[in-house]
Amino acid sequence: MKNHTNSSLLTKNRVGKISEEDSLKQQNYLEVVKSFARLTYESIYVIDYEKMAFEYVSENPLFLCGYSSEEVLNMGYDFYFKNVPENDLELLNLINEAGFDFFEKLPGDTKKMYSITYDFHLVNQDGKHILINHKLTPLFLTSDEKMWKAMCIVSIAHHQKAGNICIHKQGTDITWELDTVTKVWRKSEKPKLTKREMEILRLHAQGLTINQIAEKIFVSSDTVKYYRRRIFERLNVSNIVEALSYAVNNKII
């Protein structure tokens, strides 16, 4: 049976054959990064490990500590030394060492499937500490499979302390968590939620209260509270904010 869908209903932007000149523009991948930055509330930046510098910093002020994006771009790694407390700098050194040791042991064709996430403090120019979540994944590898460039995303952390260092592999439920004392990565699988637990978590993500959720799914408020407690136990968190953060960061919802 033929598909009679009118393609003109899908988009009015009909593009003809791309010129060679336009094809070369795709090499300017930063335009893609900039477009992504315009669509997210999170801060985006790109690290160039060959130059040990920032190649791009988005204008979102969360990560900037009162500086402009251009100032942070020019500071590069000095930004960390100026705006991260000493204890957290030591943590970042540990993450850097353990993370790259882990990365080096991965098969070359799978390295881009991994990302690392962790929390640390930034100090604003007024002296206030803010706990951020930092995610990093490879953008480009060198011919000998070293990480050349990486994309980083910064958002507000929903934990109460720095650390929470995990590595995830795309398309799997596998997670590795770093024990900062033994410096050993411990492999585990993401916790699985039931359909009802997922439904309640999604409704919370939409901003519904316990009573509103109960009314929507035709159960009592006590039943919703019971499922919430089960969610907290499965995800090893203590409140709904942490549960939602965990679920988003681990791509559960």
Side-chain angles (χ1 to χ4, degrees), residues 29-30 32-34 36-38 40-49 52-60 62-64 72 76-77 79-80 92 95-96 100 114-118 120 122 132-140 147-156 249:
Y29 77 95
L30 278 180
V32 177
V33 178
K34 292 174 184 177
F36 177 59
R38 290 195 294 270
T40 179
Y41 70 93
E42 298 168 317
S43 294
I44 311 294
Y45 71 105
V46 173
I47 298 175
D48 184 332
Y49 287 101
M52 291 306 295
F54 297 163
E55 186 172 23
Y56 169 76
V57 176
S58 71
E59 296 180 358
N60 188 315
L62 170 66
F63 172 62
L64 304 182
V72 174
Y77 270 74
F79 173 81
Y80 292 120
L92 292 182
I95 294 169
N96 183 67
F100 278 105
Y114 290 80
S115 60
I116 186 169
T117 175
Y118 47 91
F120 65 95
L122 290 175
I132 64 163
N133 175 255
H134 191 271
K135 299 182 184 70
L136 182 151
T137 194
L139 264 178
F140 297 104
M147 193 184 303
W148 174 19
K149 295 182 181 181
M151 177 184 283
C152 306
I153 297 181
V154 182
S155 59
I156 293 291
N249 287 337

Side-chain angles (χ1 to χ4, degrees), residues 105-199:
K105 297 172 184 176
L106 297 173
D109 58 344
T110 68
K111 286 183 175 180
K112 286 188 177 181
M113 299 175 66
Y114 290 80
S115 60
I116 186 169
T117 175
Y118 47 91
D119 301 329
F120 65 95
H121 290 92
L122 290 175
V123 183
N124 289 327
Q125 289 181 339
D126 60 5
K128 291 184 179 179
H129 288 56
I130 177 174
L131 186 63
I132 64 163
N133 175 255
H134 191 271
K135 299 182 184 70
L136 182 151
T137 194
L139 264 178
F140 297 104
L141 304 179
T142 63
S143 57
D144 57 350
E145 299 172 348
K146 303 284 187 181
M147 193 184 303
W148 174 19
K149 295 182 181 181
M151 177 184 283
C152 306
I153 297 181
V154 182
S155 59
I156 293 291
H158 293 292
H159 295 96
Q160 297 181 4
K161 296 181 180 180
N164 312 300
I165 309 151
C166 293
I167 287 176
H168 306 281
K169 183 180 180 183
Q170 182 182 9
T172 74
D173 290 331
I174 302 173
T175 298
W176 292 263
E177 185 171 357
L178 181 63
D179 185 321
T180 56
V181 176
T182 63
K183 301 181 182 179
V184 172
W185 291 98
R186 304 193 183 281
K187 185 178 179 180
S188 62
E189 288 196 14
K190 296 179 189 175
K192 290 181 170 51
L193 302 180
T194 65
K195 289 184 178 179
R196 180 63 95 184
E197 290 164 353
M198 290 280 287
E199 181 181 26

